[in-house]
Amino acid sequence: MLRRIIHIDEEKCNGCGLCAAACHEGAIGMIEGKAKLLRDDYCDGLGNCLPVCPTGAISFVEREAAAFDKEAVLQNAAKKTVGCPSSACSIMNKAMSIGKRKSASEHEEFGSRQSELGQWPVQIRLVPINAPYFDGADLLIAADCTAYAYAAFHKKFIRNRITLIGCPKLDKTDYSEKLAEIIKNNDIKSVKVVRMEVPCCAGIEKAVRQALAASGKTIPWQVAVITRDGIAIEE
C-alpha cells in the first residue's frame, strides 16, 4: 500500500541513537553505528523520531510499504523484555549495583572483584558515534581476546576508561573510519590500544593509527601488547 513512512539519510546520520530510543514501536535500530529502518510494518508514520534527530537525517516519504502492524509491534516488544539490550546506550552506576547486594559480607566480596566497565555497548560495531560517555573520555580500544589472556585486565586497562572492543580478523571490517568519526566528533583525551602479540591482532593498532591521522587531532596514545601467556608489555 502507498503510505507515509520515515526515511533515514545514512550520510547525515551521526550514530547518536536518539531516534532508536524515541521509536516506541522498535522500527529503528542501530546497525554498525548508523540508524536503520528495520521493518516497514513497525513504523506507524507518526514520526516521534523526527524531532530528536540532531542532524536532520530523518524525513517522511510517500512510498509503497507494508501496513503498520500493531500486533507484530506488541509481540516484538514482549520479546525484547527478555532479550539482549544490544546497542542501547547506558552508563554504569557501580554504587547502585553494589547496593543491590543483601549483606555486608556480600558487599565486601563483590567490591573486591567489581567490574570496572563504565558503559554499554562495548563492541566497536555497535557503539554510537556520539554517545554521551565519550565526552572527556580516556578511550580504551582493545582486541577482545586480551581480556581473556590478561588476568588483571579490568584493574589495569578498563578502570577509568571508556572501553571499545573488536577483532580485526573475525569482524572482517575496517574500524578506522568509525574510530576516526568518534575521535573527530567527541572530546577524547587519550587513547590506549591493547592487542595480542599475534600478527593478525596488529590490525586493531593499525586502525587506531589511521583513525587518529584521519581525525586531524593530536591526541596522546599508547599501545600495550599481551602475550599468549598473559604478560602485558607496554610499548
Side-chain angles (χ1 to χ4, degrees):
M1 63 181 292
L2 184 67
R3 71 181 184 96
R4 188 171 78 157
I5 196 167
I6 65 159
H7 170 73
I8 302 173
D9 186 335
E10 187 171 313
E11 293 298 317
K12 291 182 179 180
C13 177
N14 68 1
C16 69
L18 294 175
C19 59
C23 181
H24 303 302
E25 291 71 35
I28 301 174
M30 303 303 296
I31 300 177
E32 295 188 354
K34 294 287 185 176
K36 303 283 186 183
L37 178 60
L38 302 178
R39 286 179 52 162
D40 288 359
D41 59 343
Y42 284 5
C43 178
D44 60 7
L46 298 179
N48 289 338
C49 52
L50 268 71
V52 301
C53 179
T55 64
I58 304 176
S59 59
F60 280 124
V61 295
E62 290 274 346
R63 66 170 175 83
E64 287 290 332
F68 174 61
D69 189 338
K70 185 176 180 180
E71 185 61 32
V73 168
L74 293 174
Q75 290 177 4
N76 183 55
K79 291 178 183 177
K80 285 185 175 181
T81 61
V82 294
C84 174
S86 186
S87 58
C89 288
S90 62
I91 299 173
M92 311 305 188
N93 186 330
K94 301 296 174 53
M96 184 179 295
S97 296
I98 293 175
K100 291 179 181 178
R101 300 283 168 165
K102 294 181 179 179
S103 67
S105 61
E106 286 177 319
H107 280 212
E108 183 178 353
E109 179 187 0
F110 181 69
S112 67
R113 52 187 174 86
Q114 179 182 341
S115 170
E116 297 292 343
L117 188 64
Q119 99 291 340
W120 186 266
V122 294
Q123 286 283 349
I124 297 172
R125 293 180 300 168
L126 296 179
V127 67
I129 290 171
N130 291 97
Y133 42 70
F134 284 135
D135 185 31
D138 292 300
L139 201 60
L140 169 66
I141 303 174
D144 48 16
C145 291
T146 56
Y148 293 93
Y150 187 71
F153 192 84
H154 276 244
K155 183 177 180 180
K156 184 173 178 64
F157 296 119
I158 293 182
R159 178 178 291 178
N160 298 323
R161 292 188 176 102
I162 295 300
T163 302
L164 300 181
I165 65 169
C167 176
K169 182 176 178 65
L170 297 181
D171 284 349
K172 298 186 185 302
T173 186
D174 182 5
Y175 298 131
S176 60
E177 183 177 346
K178 184 169 186 181
L179 292 175
E181 289 299 309
I182 290 172
I183 295 168
K184 185 188 303 182
N185 290 285
N186 297 280
D187 180 24
I188 304 297
K189 298 299 185 185
S190 69
V191 177
K192 182 81 169 186
V193 181
V194 184
R195 49 160 292 201
M196 295 298 297
E197 64 176 337
V198 295
C200 61
C201 210
I204 202 159
E205 179 181 345
K206 180 182 178 182
V208 173
R209 191 186 302 274
Q210 292 175 339
L212 287 166
S215 74
K217 293 183 177 181
T218 302
I219 296 174
W221 70 295
Q222 296 177 312
V223 179
V225 178
I226 308 298
T227 66
R228 281 173 285 186
D229 55 352
I231 297 173
I233 303 170
E234 302 278 349
E235 294 186 351

